Amino acid sequence: MKYMILTYASQQDYDGMAGKDTGKPAWKPEDFAAMGAFMEKFNNELIESGELVETRGLAAPVLTRRLGSKDGQSVVTDGPYAETQEVLAGYWIVECESFDRATEIASRLADTPAPEAARATAYADIRPLVEGRDELVE
């Protein structure tokens, strides 16, 4: 079974990583390096176990466009969005034996090095990937 592990952040988190003043303690270069080393090791372990299908980090919300409609007309809005603080920051697609195993994999992300202010709001979701529309309804 395939599962998607989704991690979340905010524009403020991206700004902190870039060294911008956010009102929270800034990320130091060694914080960013430690996070990168952790992610590289985490990903390599999933590659070695044969469970990693794909992984990507996503660019900052300020680089996002949202498409919707209003009064029957298409509307394009540039990010970040005032109505939401959290945004998808990255994902992993893993193929493993069970939801419990996917949860075990995702739980290791809690060990990601980061400044305490960033760690305090970090979380991940795990969702099974469906193969067809008949799997959308439980």
Side-chain angles (χ1 to χ4, degrees):
M1 182 78 183
K2 290 181 183 166
Y3 300 89
M4 182 175 267
I5 300 168
L6 306 128
T7 57
Y8 296 87
S10 67
Q11 181 64 49
Q12 188 177 38
D13 293 323
Y14 281 88
D15 289 345
M17 285 188 280
K20 296 179 184 173
D21 183 17
T22 65
K24 295 179 180 179
W27 284 63
K28 298 175 193 148
E30 57 268 23
D31 295 330
F32 196 71
M35 181 187 71
F38 175 89
M39 289 299 175
E40 187 175 331
K41 182 177 186 245
F42 180 79
N43 293 339
N44 284 335
E45 288 172 357
L46 290 173
I47 290 167
E48 289 170 11
S49 72
E51 294 170 306
L52 183 65
V53 175
E54 180 178 351
T55 185
R56 294 277 188 257
L58 301 176
V62 71
L63 301 172
T64 302
R65 288 191 177 148
R66 178 170 286 165
L67 289 92
S69 64
K70 183 175 183 178
D71 301 324
Q73 299 295 316
S74 293
V75 177
V76 178
T77 307
D78 289 332
Y81 312 107
E83 65 273 10
T84 184
Q85 185 70 335
E86 64 185 25
V87 294
L88 184 62
Y91 69 89
W92 290 260
I93 297 175
V94 296
E95 187 165 11
C96 54
E97 63 193 37
S98 67
F99 209 157
D100 288 340
R101 174 62 184 148
T103 302
E104 179 183 317
I105 291 168
S107 70
R108 293 174 42 212
L109 292 170
D111 296 330
T112 304
E116 192 52 43
R119 290 174 56 87
T121 58
Y123 67 94
D125 290 336
I126 304 124
R127 295 179 65 178
L129 295 178
V130 298
E131 297 295 326
R133 66 176 172 227
D134 56 321
E135 295 179 42
L136 290 174
V137 184
E138 189 170 347

